[in-house]
Amino acid sequence: MHSVVAWIVRVGCVLGLVVTGIGFGGAVSAGPPDSPVCAWRFISNSTVLNVAFPDANSTYWVMPYALGPGDSIELSGTYAAARYFSLNTYGTDLDTVDTLRDDQIVPDPGSANPFVDASAAALPVEQKRWHATLVNGPGDHSRNRLQAVASGQGSPIGFVIVRVYVPDDPASLSGGVPLPDVKLSIAGAEVPTQPCAQPFDPSVYTGPVADVAKDAFDRVIAGAASGAFPGNTPEATFNNPASTSGLFPNGDNKYIGTRLSHQPGRLVVVRGKAPTFPDTRAGQSPTDPEQVRYWSMCQNDLRSPYPVVACAADFQTALDGSGYYTYVLGAPEDLPPDLDPTVTVIPWGSTDVDKVLFLRNMIPSPAFYPDSIQASQDSGSDPATSMGEYYPDTAYCGTETFRTGGAAACLGS
């Protein structure tokens, strides 16, 4: 029992460090305090802890931990009703250790996986169950085991994130199911935990200590993001980021991006071929054979902590008769009236802050892979060449030029 108490103290310290680093200072509590080892302490999306380039159509639940040799954490949950969900572990450098996504998670005996078998979506929840284990050592995905601590890190601390993209019910961020139950196995003793009743929300933290903590966190995120888009990166030209390390990257996503700056009377126009995708909000199954599982275009402030301003996901993007999208970004006063219905507007947000615009590709099919962002990054090739018609042509354009000539007048084609 002594070892369990010691572990709780150790995790309590981890939580305290994380709350100090991410949490903006002293706590404000509206109810009884949670246990120091309650699960899923942190939630991050476009409204809470909006940091490190999130996607506005996803939510992330984060649980820090400290695992000694032989320790483990068992997660037990229900497959989410969503486009995608995954389990991801990270080290203290905020870089990926391991990833286990929905269609890789082996179901419990008597259950089935709706991300592998579409008919399983109609099963009752008790027949859509899974278990996974985080271990301090190499993982084995065939047994739903993930490596929890980075090799050679020298620290027992790590983080696990549950990601859910595009839940079938927009009102249920977790995809219509509870967050996974958690059972800690520490030195042979088992410690069950429950999700925190009060996930951490930085908006309720104020004061000078909060300001110091926020500044410290901003510096950490800024250091990681500076490697993604160095200062000499050209504007209005999509390129592979130099790095996404240190930004809790998702192993199933790859990105290309471009810096943008605002000038009065100027728009950003982006046009490209849209990959096909399973529109789960329209009743399709995530198992349907499409070119990618998910794609989106997201605009973020190019200033720490790099929040998302707005996204247009695949199902939110208008297409023309040839399957091409046209995005227009600009301040409200710069947007022309009566835009063509095949044009999708992405709001600019504050004009005082430069932006970075990201295109995401998630899990390309084998047939689409040569045209995907993944292929460009795996080979180190220029995405403008390797992606073909799926590359987003981009240009600054005057409002009047776009109003009279459309995307063709701006892009020269």
Side-chain angles (χ1 to χ4, degrees), residues 331-347:
E333 62 271 19
D334 296 327
L335 294 171
D338 303 321
L339 286 168
D340 186 280
T342 63
V343 173
T344 302
V345 174
I346 298 180

Side-chain angles (χ1 to χ4, degrees), residues 225-297:
S226 65
F229 290 96
N232 61 353
T233 303
E235 295 189 12
T237 302
F238 277 84
N239 287 292
N240 288 316
S243 171
T244 57
S245 297
L247 296 170
F248 292 110
N250 179 0
D252 290 324
N253 277 337
K254 294 297 181 184
Y255 318 83
I256 54 174
T258 181
R259 298 167 63 100
L260 302 173
S261 60
H262 174 262
Q263 288 185 11
R266 187 174 77 173
L267 305 171
V268 178
V269 179
V270 186
R271 180 173 167 78
K273 184 74 176 290
T276 62
F277 63 95
D279 192 349
T280 46
R281 288 273 175 92
Q284 287 185 262
S285 167
T287 66
D288 286 356
E290 303 291 353
Q291 291 175 316
V292 296
R293 176 81 73 86
Y294 175 83
W295 66 269
S296 67
M297 189 76 74

Side-chain angles (χ1 to χ4, degrees), residues 106-129:
V106 180
D108 289 350
S111 287
N113 184 343
F115 292 90
V116 175
D117 177 4
S119 67
L123 294 173
V125 292
E126 60 269 19
Q127 293 180 266
K128 293 186 288 187
R129 299 284 296 168

Side-chain angles (χ1 to χ4, degrees), residues 239-241 244 253-256 369 372-381 383 386:
N239 287 292
N240 288 316
T244 57
N253 277 337
K254 294 297 181 184
Y255 318 83
I256 54 174
Y369 175 82
S372 69
I373 297 172
Q374 281 81 350
S376 170
Q377 294 192 3
D378 290 345
S379 65
S381 59
S386 66

Side-chain angles (χ1 to χ4, degrees), residues 5 44 93 99 142 174 226 250 253 278 288 297 303 313 368 372 408:
V5 172
S44 175
D93 59 358
T99 299
S142 69
S174 60
S226 65
N250 179 0
N253 277 337
D288 286 356
M297 189 76 74
R303 181 168 67 190
F368 182 69
S372 69

